[in-house]
Amino acid sequence: MPGSGQLPGPPAAETRGTAAVADGLGAWLASYAVGPGYEVHHLHVGGADDVGYCAFRYHVSGRLHDGAEVDMWVRSTLVCRRVDGAWRIVHQHESVPFDPATGAGLVSEAPDD
């Protein structure tokens, strides 16, 4: 949406495989004229044995090619597993808080400090 500060087009509901993730990341990075800025906040890391996780909020900022400014907060959780001695991301989830009355995502909701 021009001027909305939102990224163009909806993301894939599910992405599998290194090539698909790389393609999606490349398209996201290419959508920015300036940025993106990316700051991690409230990082929590844990795990045991061959399973680990991290959960955090991140702030994305920048300007898209259409001139729209991006200033949004996202929640993220990554689950990792050690496979053949190497850590692999086996699950990733991202979300934003939403207004239950409208269903609208609240991307401007910064974390409580």
Side-chain angles (χ1 to χ4, degrees):
M1 293 187 277
S4 69
Q6 298 298 312
L7 298 177
E14 186 174 328
T15 305
R16 290 180 180 264
T18 303
V21 171
D23 289 348
L25 180 59
W28 179 66
L29 292 170
S31 69
Y32 282 85
V34 176
Y38 186 96
E39 302 168 7
V40 173
H41 296 258
H42 298 199
L43 175 64
H44 302 279
V45 178
D49 302 321
D50 291 334
V51 177
Y53 77 92
C54 64
F56 54 95
R57 297 283 302 266
Y58 65 89
H59 180 238
V60 179
S61 60
R63 187 175 67 244
L64 302 178
H65 287 290
D66 70 0
E69 295 292 326
V70 175
D71 181 18
M72 64 184 203
W73 288 89
V74 181
R75 301 179 293 209
S76 186
T77 302
L78 303 175
V79 179
C80 301
R81 188 172 70 193
R82 189 174 10 219
V83 178
D84 296 328
W87 286 98
R88 305 280 187 226
I89 297 171
V90 295
H91 180 76
Q92 177 179 356
H93 178 81
E94 295 183 342
S95 64
V96 296
F98 71 96
D99 180 341
T102 65
L106 303 173
V107 297
S108 62
E109 293 292 313
D112 296 331
D113 285 328

